[in-house]
Amino acid sequence: MALTEWTKSMEWLAAASEDPGACKQEWQNGSTGVALLAAGRFWDVLIVPEELGLRVADLLEELPLLDRGPCLLDARRRNVGFLLPPEPQTVWIGTGVRLLGAGTWITAPAPHCRWGALRWLVPPDGTGTLNMPEVLEMALQRCAGELSRTQGHPAPAACAAGGRVRP
């Protein structure tokens, strides 16, 4: 990846930090290699169980003409987070599914970097591209159904693992 693209991605992601300068410094020269980023301002994060999230990430990669949004794997916690546009009135329903919005935080390595169990499956591109909620919802439902059939037990939740409700 070209240095300018990496820098653009890092700037975009660091903007979600309370101190973007300190965030970039930690990514480049720090001891932890991760930064604390606020959800709910520029993006929300939909957290799903790892097995489901990895299948969804693969499915989204296969869709032509789709600009995929950032997707972060936390192998230690065994989950995948998809960055979505902030939608304060949206509720996602499913076993092991939770939406991180305003007032919540994630830890993340620099784009295109891995730090321990954290790595970007799809790093931010620096342009603000996010996952489309409607596409993600359909992919979650499809993959939850496939997991249900292949593993011989019910899907993780009603409405698969991605049903959304708008109050």
Side-chain angles (χ1 to χ4, degrees):
M1 162 174 256
L3 182 59
T4 55
E5 290 176 35
W6 188 85
T7 302
K8 190 174 170 183
S9 297
M10 187 173 61
E11 293 286 338
W12 180 84
L13 194 58
S17 170
E18 284 188 339
D19 185 346
C23 176
K24 293 182 286 188
Q25 179 67 24
E26 181 60 40
W27 282 336
Q28 294 173 334
N29 304 313
S31 60
T32 68
V34 296
L36 195 58
L37 304 175
R41 190 166 126 208
F42 299 121
W43 35 260
D44 287 346
V45 183
L46 184 68
I47 305 292
V48 302
E50 180 181 33
E51 186 175 13
L52 178 60
L54 291 174
R55 287 180 182 248
V56 168
D58 286 345
L59 177 61
L60 293 177
E61 185 175 11
E62 296 171 7
L63 296 176
L65 306 175
L66 178 68
D67 291 331
R68 297 183 305 150
C71 176
L72 183 65
L73 170 66
D74 184 342
R76 186 175 58 86
R77 289 194 174 102
R78 303 201 62 189
N79 61 42
V80 175
F82 296 90
L83 275 63
L84 303 166
E87 294 185 44
Q89 299 302 314
T90 299
V91 176
W92 289 75
I93 301 170
T95 302
V97 174
R98 61 196 154 122
L99 183 66
L100 304 180
T104 63
W105 301 81
I106 65 166
T107 54
H112 309 285
C113 292
R114 177 183 191 140
W115 190 263
L118 288 173
R119 72 178 172 103
W120 291 98
L121 297 173
V122 179
D125 64 7
T127 68
T129 300
L130 297 169
N131 290 289
M132 296 169 48
E134 296 79 10
V135 172
L136 185 58
E137 180 179 11
M138 290 176 60
L140 284 163
Q141 289 176 355
R142 178 176 169 182
C143 292
E146 289 172 6
L147 283 172
S148 173
R149 285 188 298 279
T150 60
Q151 295 180 353
H153 52 78
C159 298
R164 293 186 308 146
V165 178
R166 288 196 173 123

